Amino acid sequence: MTELFTDEYFMREALKEARKALDIGEVPVGAVVVCKNKIIARAHNQTEKLTDATAHAEMLAMTAAANYLGSKYLNECTLYVTLEPCVMCAGALQWVQLQRLVYGATDPQRGYRLVKSPVLHPRTEVVEGINMEEASELIHSFFRRLRDKD
Amino acid sequence: MTELFTDEYFMREALKEARKALDIGEVPVGAVVVCKNKIIARAHNQTEKLTDATAHAEMLAMTAAANYLGSKYLNECTLYVTLEPCVMCAGALQWVQLQRLVYGATDPQRGYRLVKSPVLHPRTEVVEGINMEEASELIHSFFRRLRDKD
């Protein structure tokens, strides 16, 4: 029997969220939080809609997941996000003591790995590059279109 | 004529917020956002009350200030906060392009300066140590009391 709940499966759910962001003109980043193979929170970037530069998909998903669990800590959860988290989001992932981080595209401009110190929680396991091509293409085509408009 | 709107004046307002956190059993950190000598947002740490590890005083104050201004950017604002911001909050201050950061006590455990890369926006001016003694005492006495309870 093939495994249903793979990293690719949940990343496709995060990609669905990213496309929702794209549809409303936001930078297309999506995230889902998974606990015991169940999606307990899903969110997409809403910085424009909420006029809030901190309203990243990961931040919204983390807050929703904590609310669902009634716990500040997501130490039994995996966050799937289509783009490598920024320093703010990585700092937040440290506070929630995330168990596992899975992301699609890397972000060489604003990704947390630019920072030359560990910013995630020391126990957080990291997997990168799941559905990377689709995740990269989504974000690159968005910025390509923005540039073409100018 | 003595200057009314000094850094010490606004930091005292941030300290009032920190005391509100203390009164409800939260880690006592307070913040105000000031734009053209006017306080446009004030907040205190609410991680316990909101069951949200990301609900730091700075995050709540930034979101409220952006909402007040109707702008994602706080590039004409000063954030006064009683404790050195953590990496998450510093990352957020970068996204909002904060003009000026003033903090009281340093945080050698979780402060953003632990990170060996610049995390604030390159144009953000930083002032530390305003009302430092009071700010330090507030946070230290909180943790002292917590330890004494054990």
Side-chain angles (χ1 to χ4, degrees):
Chain A
M1 212 179 83
T2 43
E3 173 80 61
L4 173 61
F5 297 120
T6 60
D7 283 343
E8 288 74 14
Y9 171 83
F10 289 118
M11 187 60 82
R12 278 194 298 275
E13 294 300 312
L15 282 162
K16 283 184 197 166
E17 284 298 313
R19 273 182 226 105
K20 287 185 199 167
L22 187 69
D23 288 347
I24 56 169
E26 300 275 359
V27 175
V29 182
V32 298
V33 177
V34 174
C35 190
K36 300 185 177 75
N37 279 338
K38 185 179 167 188
I39 295 177
I40 61 166
R42 41 196 321 148
H44 53 271
N45 176 37
Q46 295 197 54
T47 51
E48 300 302 325
K49 190 176 171 193
L50 301 179
T51 322
D52 183 350
T54 73
H56 287 194
E58 300 95 309
M59 299 298 287
L60 301 174
M62 268 183 270
T63 295
N67 187 43
Y68 175 86
L69 293 173
S71 160
K72 281 195 309 177
Y73 302 114
L74 306 182
N75 49 9
E76 296 186 355
C77 298
T78 299
L79 177 87
Y80 292 85
V81 56
T82 56
L83 184 67
E84 180 188 340
C86 72
V87 170
M88 169 184 73
C89 292
L93 294 172
Q94 184 185 57
W95 285 113
V96 303
Q97 302 184 7
L98 187 76
Q99 184 179 40
R100 196 157 170 269
L101 166 66
V102 181
Y103 61 88
T106 55
D107 185 353
Q109 254 85 54
R110 303 297 292 259
Y112 77 92
R113 293 179 313 157
L114 280 176
V115 168
K116 291 169 201 69
S117 304
V119 279
L120 290 174
H121 193 276
R123 279 195 298 274
T124 301
E125 182 203 339
V126 181
V127 180
E128 72 158 65
I130 300 294
N131 298 2
M132 192 174 191
E133 252 177 64
E134 194 174 349
S136 290
E137 177 49 27
L138 196 61
I139 199 114
H140 287 141
S141 65
F142 176 79
F143 284 108
R144 219 162 30 229
R145 252 182 288 167
L146 267 195
R147 278 194 302 273
D148 291 348
K149 267 193 202 161
D150 291 339
Chain B
M1 214 178 84
T2 42
E3 173 78 63
L4 175 59
F5 298 119
T6 60
D7 283 343
E8 288 74 14
Y9 172 83
F10 289 119
M11 187 59 81
R12 277 196 298 274
E13 294 300 313
L15 282 161
K16 281 184 198 166
E17 286 297 314
R19 272 182 229 105
K20 286 185 200 167
L22 187 69
D23 288 347
I24 56 169
E26 300 275 359
V27 175
V29 181
V32 298
V33 176
V34 174
C35 190
K36 300 185 176 77
N37 279 338
K38 186 180 167 189
I39 295 176
I40 62 167
R42 44 195 319 147
H44 53 271
N45 177 36
Q46 294 197 54
T47 52
E48 299 303 324
K49 190 176 170 193
L50 301 179
T51 321
D52 183 350
T54 73
H56 286 193
E58 302 95 309
M59 298 299 287
L60 301 174
M62 269 184 268
T63 295
N67 187 42
Y68 175 87
L69 293 173
S71 160
K72 281 194 312 177
Y73 302 113
L74 306 181
N75 49 7
E76 295 186 355
C77 297
T78 300
L79 177 87
Y80 293 85
V81 56
T82 56
L83 184 68
E84 180 187 341
C86 72
V87 170
M88 169 184 72
C89 291
L93 294 172
Q94 183 185 57
W95 285 113
V96 303
Q97 302 184 5
L98 187 77
Q99 184 178 41
R100 197 158 168 267
L101 166 66
V102 182
Y103 61 89
T106 55
D107 185 352
Q109 253 85 54
R110 301 297 290 260
Y112 76 93
R113 292 179 313 156
L114 280 177
V115 169
K116 291 170 202 68
S117 303
V119 279
L120 289 174
H121 193 276
R123 281 195 296 274
T124 301
E125 183 203 338
V126 181
V127 180
E128 71 159 65
I130 300 294
N131 298 2
M132 191 174 192
E133 252 177 64
E134 196 173 348
S136 290
E137 178 49 27
L138 196 59
I139 199 115
H140 287 142
S141 65
F142 176 80
F143 285 108
R144 217 160 34 225
R145 252 182 289 166
L146 268 194
R147 278 194 302 273
D148 290 350
K149 268 191 204 162
D150 292 339

